[in-house]
Amino acid sequence: MPAPSAADPAGPPLRTEGALLLVDDHEDNLFALEHALAPLGRRLLRATSGEQALKAVLRHPVATVVMDIVMPGIDGLDTMSYLSRLDQTREVPVLLITGTGRDDRLAERAYRMGAAGFLIKPVDPWALRCHVRALADLRSRTYSATTPQPAPARYGWGV
């Protein structure tokens, strides 16, 4: 089932906050990630390489990146390293996923580099959704806290 789009009335309405960027070099894994994360109602962007991920995050507002570690070319750790060096992407949380099994050294390296999370495949869809929702909502609140917003009208503070 493809992720709902703004033109798809059958899906839940998409939220206007930043998108979720899904990065994996295997289409079947991207499909599984989309299926698990579509209920969050955020726009889902896909990238099949680190290079594509870097381009996407610079072109679109992204609330969270969910990325495989092992990919040809620029791998997930290198991509995360590039993201951490750019002012416009430094604060975007990156959730890393690996299919190589439990590797404490890799997990420690990822966290030292600034990963917001580290999951091992197969990933439970519910746990993935909860983790990504928390990261994306925190990113959206942090981002909106630095951007002036009108007071909510429901409290009688706005016009």
Side-chain angles (χ1 to χ4, degrees):
M1 175 180 199
S5 68
D8 179 10
L14 294 178
R15 297 172 64 168
T16 58
E17 296 105 342
L20 304 177
L21 176 57
L22 314 178
V23 188
D24 199 302
D25 57 317
H26 295 284
E27 286 291 327
D28 55 339
N29 291 339
L30 285 172
F31 178 80
L33 289 171
E34 285 176 331
H35 186 72
L37 297 173
L40 296 181
R42 289 184 181 265
R43 183 174 176 208
L44 301 176
L45 304 173
R46 304 172 128 228
T48 56
S49 68
E51 294 89 346
Q52 285 183 5
L54 292 169
K55 290 177 185 176
V57 81
L58 292 171
R59 291 180 181 153
H60 305 281
V62 172
T64 302
V65 176
V66 179
M67 183 164 40
D68 186 28
I69 293 177
V70 180
M71 295 184 291
I74 302 175
D75 69 15
L77 291 175
D78 288 339
T79 303
M80 187 176 69
S81 177
Y82 286 121
L83 292 172
S84 70
R85 291 186 221 149
L86 300 171
D87 288 338
Q88 62 266 45
T89 58
R90 180 175 291 129
E91 300 297 323
V92 176
V94 178
L95 175 62
L96 293 171
I97 299 177
T98 183
T100 62
R102 182 176 171 164
D103 184 338
D104 292 340
R105 290 172 121 176
L106 180 61
E108 181 181 352
R109 182 172 169 221
Y111 282 118
R112 284 185 188 273
M113 291 177 68
F118 185 90
L119 299 175
I120 299 168
K121 294 176 186 174
V123 176
D124 176 75
W126 179 84
L128 175 66
R129 235 183 340 270
C130 289
H131 205 129
V132 171
R133 177 186 294 125
L135 291 172
D137 287 351
L138 180 60
R139 167 73 176 144
S140 294
R141 279 196 303 270
T142 303
Y143 181 75
S144 66
T146 62
T147 306
Q149 300 288 324
R154 70 174 182 236
Y155 296 114
W157 297 333
V159 174

